[in-house]
Structures are given as C-alpha cells and as structure tokens.
Amino acid sequence: MRMVKGVFLTLGTIVSTNEECRRKAVEDQALVYLVRAMGHNDNGVKAAACLCTRYIIRSVSICRTHVPESGILVPLLALLQDKTADVQVTASATLVNLLTDFSPLRADALKAGLIDILAKLLRSENSTVCRNALWSIRNLLVGVDDDTRKEIIEKIKIETLFSLSSAPHEAFLQEHALGALRNIVVDSMLGINAVFDTMGNDRVIALLRQAMRSDTESAIKVHGLYLANNIAVRSQEHCGILVGDEWLLRSIASHVTSSSSEVAVAALWCINSIASHRVPSQSQQESDGESVEEAGVCRYRAELNALDLQATLEHMLGDPQLGLEVRDRVRSCLDYFPDSET
C-alpha cells in the first residue's frame, strides 16, 4: 500500500504545476486509476488519490473534457463523508476544483445532494475541512441562478457565514466566508435582502467595518470591499445604508491609495458603484416653459466631496508608478466628478 500511495503522491507533485504533465497523465489513463483508488480500503491510498486528482483537475481543459466521463463524482462525494480526517481534507480540497463555473459536474453534484453535504462539512471540527467547504460554496455561487442561490441560503444559513466571517484567529475561514457572502449578493436582490433581513443593518455594517480595519489581512479587505460593492451597485436603498455610516465610507475611500493593487481596485470599484446612483437635475426653463431633465448628479455627491476624494484620485493619476488596472479604475471614478479634468 505504501508503494501505491507513494506513486500517487509523486505523480501529484509532478502534475501540480505543469500543464503538459497533467495532459500526459490523463492521456495515460491516470484518472481511471485514481477514481478506482478512491474506493480502496486503505485511508492513505484514498487520501493520496484525492490529492493527485486535485492537482490534475486544476486544468480547465481537463476539467471540461476528461473529468465528466471519469466517474469521479460519486466516489468523491462519498469520501466527503469519510470518518478519516485526512481523507475528508483531501476530498474536500479536490471538490473545490470541480465546482468552478466552467465545470460540467456542477449540475450533477447539486442533484446528488451537494448542498446538504457542504452544510454538514461546515460543522466539522476540522478547520481545514470547514475552509474547503466554504471555498466550494464560494465557487458554487459564481454564475448561479436564484433558485440554487435560495437553496444555498436556506441550507448553509446566512447566520453561519456571518459567524465564520468573524471567527477569531481564523483568518482563512474569515476570508472564504466573506467570499461566500460576497457571491451571495452579486447581481441578486434575493441575496442582498436575505443578508440584511437575517442580520439587520447594524450587523452588516459591523462586519464590513471589521473587514476594513487597518490590521486586517489584504485578502479579507478585498472580500469585504467587494461585498460592499456588490450591495452598493445593485440596490440604491442598501447603498444608502452603507453611505450613511461615515466611518465605513471614509474607510472605503482611504483604501483607494492602498499599496496593494487588489485592495485599491476593490475600493475604487466600490466608490464607482456608490457614485453611479443618480438623482435627476433640472435644467433652466426652456422657452416653452417646460423643464428638461438632464442625466442627473451623483446622489451621494456631498458625502464623497466631504472626503476630498476627487483631489485624491487626480493626484493618483499623476503617479507614473500607478498600475494600469488601478489607473483605469481611477479614471472611471473621476467620470462621476463633473469638474474633473481627466
């Protein structure tokens, strides 16, 4: 058994970073042997098979073409409920790669009771298993329809995700729980209403504040900022709730100058979404006595101007070292300031 386990671990190391090696392994029927090994009596062999499979299916092309016919789904879902921690850890890590929006196995996994399984894994005492379950939920929520979103909300529970988003000393759980909440609300009033109806305005604001504290890891800040962005861009009512918290708005604005380009871009998207909400403005009376409605002005112009944000953004454009993606977002934000010279 040690030899079989060793072969799988060695193959996993080889294919972990090399696309050509993955392709060659699949052509040589590696998935057939790995799927068969998932039903082995030895826990070490099962765990090694899952680990090797995880690395092979990192490939988008393999996941789309070879995986659907491999028969991997049924044994993998069974291993998610294995009593051995090592097996659960590697099986749940493998599942993450099978639930991306381009995976053909998503629909079959949902029909096989995946959401119930993930809900159970979130209650695991093993924090790595819990982390992998959150990661799978994040991936599952990308591009999902509202029927599936509703099932996830009902079975996974918003309250559970909020609790894990605030898990003390467990930054990797916070990151993925926030990522799941971020994806629940993206382009979905059903998701936004579920979050606010379950948690209430004050707790949502408190969570966002916590995510944007100065001592928070960048990955958590990014998810917190995109959570705020996804709320702000989709719902004017809920955007007003965010803007109404002065500390939160000031924190979002302060992150546009972050040394982390990912944090800066996320903050700029958030500012862009807030500024996108307009109120009608009236032109002067025309000669026939009728007023003409113009495109409108930013609903939150006063709040943004109070932060001197326009000057900050214009100063950023003058920095020759500013990254291209950040620069593009800065220009987009400045389009909402009528006096901008950009």
Side-chain angles (χ1 to χ4, degrees):
M1 300 309 158
R2 289 183 180 179
M3 181 178 295
V4 176
K5 177 182 174 180
V7 168
F8 288 152
L9 292 177
T10 300
L11 179 59
T13 300
I14 293 171
V15 302
S16 62
T17 58
N18 191 300
E19 181 70 13
E20 180 60 25
C21 288
R22 293 185 194 122
R23 185 188 63 79
K24 181 61 175 165
V26 169
E27 289 177 353
D28 289 341
Q29 304 299 308
L31 282 176
V32 174
Y33 296 104
L34 291 169
V35 170
R36 188 181 302 163
M38 289 181 185
H40 203 282
N41 292 328
D42 186 85
N43 291 325
V45 171
K46 289 189 287 190
C50 287
L51 183 65
C52 186
T53 302
R54 175 192 179 191
Y55 292 141
I56 287 178
I57 63 176
R58 280 179 174 174
S59 167
V60 174
S61 61
I62 290 174
C63 198
R64 281 176 170 165
T65 56
H66 294 83
V67 169
E69 299 176 354
S70 67
I72 188 178
L73 185 60
V74 172
L76 184 63
L77 292 181
L79 292 182
L80 292 174
Q81 303 171 78
D82 196 275
K83 296 180 180 180
T84 306
D86 287 348
V87 174
Q88 270 203 335
V89 167
T90 53
S92 58
T94 304
L95 181 68
V96 172
N97 292 343
L98 287 181
L99 297 180
T100 52
D101 56 338
F102 54 78
S103 173
L105 290 183
R106 263 180 150 197
D108 291 338
L110 287 169
K111 291 177 183 177
L114 173 66
I115 298 175
D116 290 311
I117 295 172
L118 290 174
K120 184 177 180 180
L121 292 180
L122 284 183
R123 299 192 293 270
S124 172
E125 295 181 359
N126 187 305
S127 59
T128 303
V129 170
C130 185
R131 186 276 310 272
N132 291 341
L134 286 169
W135 202 340
S136 290
I137 294 165
R138 276 181 57 190
N139 284 353
L140 188 59
L141 281 161
V142 175
V144 74
D145 60 50
D146 268 352
D147 286 340
T148 303
R149 191 189 312 271
K150 183 178 180 181
E151 185 181 358
I152 293 172
I153 290 170
E154 290 175 347
K155 293 182 175 179
I156 300 301
K157 307 295 184 185
I158 297 293
E159 182 70 58
T160 299
L161 295 177
F162 259 75
S163 297
L164 291 170
S165 296
S166 308
H169 313 300
E170 296 282 9
F172 65 109
L173 290 181
Q174 292 180 40
E175 174 188 347
H176 290 287
L178 272 172
L181 287 169
R182 161 189 173 179
N183 289 348
I184 278 179
V185 303
V186 66
D187 293 329
S188 173
M189 282 307 304
L190 183 150
I192 293 173
N193 287 332
V195 167
F196 278 86
D197 291 347
T198 302
M199 307 310 302
N201 298 354
D202 291 345
R203 291 182 69 190
V204 174
I205 293 295
L207 179 66
L208 292 172
R209 278 181 163 224
Q210 175 182 300
M212 296 179 205
R213 290 185 323 204
S214 59
D215 60 344
T216 303
E217 293 184 10
S218 291
I220 295 175
K221 287 182 179 179
V222 167
H223 285 304
L225 286 163
Y226 278 117
L227 173 58
N229 171 74
N230 293 346
I231 293 169
V233 72
R234 190 69 174 80
S235 170
Q236 181 173 295
E237 175 190 353
H238 295 95
C239 181
I241 294 171
L242 304 189
V243 173
D245 188 272
E246 183 180 352
W247 187 96
L248 181 61
L249 183 61
R250 189 172 295 278
S251 180
I252 292 171
S254 71
H255 282 97
V256 303
T257 56
S258 171
S259 58
S260 164
S261 61
E262 290 186 349
V263 172
V265 167
L268 288 162
W269 269 113
C270 206
I271 294 296
N272 194 96
S273 296
I274 291 170
S276 69
H277 292 287
R278 319 294 282 176
V279 290
S281 63
Q282 300 294 326
S283 69
Q284 294 181 340
Q285 295 290 321
E286 292 186 323
S287 57
D288 60 1
E290 295 181 357
S291 64
V292 190
E293 187 176 287
E294 297 176 343
V297 297
C298 174
R299 179 176 293 273
Y300 305 110
R301 187 176 183 180
E303 290 87 345
L304 295 176
N305 283 343
L307 302 176
D308 201 22
L309 192 57
Q310 181 175 341
T312 299
L313 296 174
E314 290 176 344
H315 179 74
M316 290 174 69
L317 281 184
D319 181 3
Q321 302 300 318
L322 194 67
L324 181 60
E325 188 177 7
V326 177
R327 186 178 298 276
D328 286 346
R329 282 292 95 219
V330 170
R331 290 187 183 277
S332 179
C333 285
L334 283 172
D335 287 343
Y336 291 102
F337 292 86
D339 299 328
S340 174
E341 298 179 358
T342 61

